[in-house]
Amino acid sequence: MKKEWSCVIREGRADDAGRILSYIRKMAGESDFITFSPDEFCMSMEEERAFIEECANSRNHLFLIAEVEGEIAGNLVFRGGKYSRTAHAGEFGISVLKKYWGCSIGRSLLQYLIDWAKKSHVVRKINLRVRVDNERAIRLYERMGFAIEGRLKRDFYIGGKWFDSYLMGMSIDPDDGCAELKELK
């Protein structure tokens, strides 16, 4: 019988930095589908705090945490473009601890991102890269409305083997019907 638990999706805070660093190191050792290995992630506590604060203070960045019974179970980071011509578009990275795979945490994080983007009046395009052999993730992205827009050859090199990635994207239309795109100031 599966244990019942509830998941809370929330925006990250600077005081989450230590727990996030621990989560990232653990998660990075569980999957080859992310862009770095556990020993390659070397952000300091101060750098992580500053990054979380940067996301919190930006109109086109988002830092999300999924918690289950106080444990960080997942994370999503979206970063929009820096300049006015690209501020409307950005790319996200998402991860979930292996013990929570298949529990809809990734779906919940993605839904939060999509809802946030629709309300932002800034973000109009969400992009991602995913290894072509990550079939579960690709199915989730397609169910959520993302489409394959291209393929990057030899995007990952792991254990002496090359892996291609799909570029996927979703156009965002605001919830309120307002077509005006607000520029970052």
Side-chain angles (χ1 to χ4, degrees):
M1 177 179 261
K2 240 183 177 178
K3 182 181 177 188
E4 292 295 318
W5 48 265
S6 69
C7 179
V8 174
I9 307 293
R10 66 173 177 82
E11 294 186 30
R13 300 180 302 263
D15 64 355
D16 292 316
R19 293 176 57 228
I20 283 290
L21 290 173
S22 295
Y23 161 81
I24 290 170
R25 287 184 186 102
K26 180 177 181 181
M27 174 275 308
E30 296 181 340
S31 174
D32 284 338
F33 289 127
I34 59 172
T35 58
F36 55 88
S37 64
D39 57 331
E40 292 175 320
F41 189 84
C42 54
M43 193 175 268
S44 71
M45 179 82 77
E46 294 76 29
E47 291 169 326
E48 185 68 20
R49 281 179 161 283
F51 177 69
I52 295 169
E53 287 175 351
E54 175 189 350
C55 291
N57 294 323
S58 173
R59 291 181 50 220
N60 71 340
H61 292 14
L62 182 65
F63 190 105
L64 294 177
I65 292 172
E67 288 182 313
V68 174
E69 297 177 357
E71 177 183 28
I72 296 178
N75 172 245
L76 181 146
V77 176
F78 175 86
R79 293 184 81 174
K82 182 177 176 181
Y83 303 108
S84 63
R85 294 178 180 184
T86 60
H88 68 282
E91 186 172 320
F92 74 88
I94 187 171
S95 62
V96 176
L97 287 179
K98 193 170 193 171
K99 73 179 184 178
Y100 295 109
W101 289 2
C103 296
S104 297
I105 290 174
R107 174 182 290 281
S108 297
L109 287 163
L110 279 173
Q111 191 60 59
Y112 191 111
L113 169 64
I114 293 164
D115 293 343
W116 169 84
K118 287 179 179 180
K119 294 173 187 164
S120 75
H121 296 285
V122 175
V123 177
R124 293 293 174 259
K125 181 73 188 308
I126 301 174
N127 298 306
L128 67 101
R129 286 175 27 212
V130 60
R131 272 183 30 187
V132 298
D133 61 330
N134 192 346
E135 295 171 5
R136 287 179 66 170
I138 293 165
R139 280 194 307 274
L140 171 62
Y141 300 142
E142 289 177 333
R143 282 194 307 267
M144 298 294 290
F146 289 85
I148 295 172
E149 298 179 341
R151 184 175 183 135
L152 293 171
K153 300 285 188 178
R154 294 181 157 203
D155 196 31
F156 285 78
Y157 185 72
I158 302 168
K161 187 175 178 187
W162 296 105
F163 295 90
D164 295 354
S165 291
Y166 287 131
L167 298 174
M168 298 183 77
M170 171 190 279
S171 295
I172 297 294
D173 295 315
D175 279 339
D176 62 8
C178 175
E180 179 185 348
L181 183 64
K182 295 185 181 177
E183 290 188 28
L184 292 180
K185 301 291 182 207

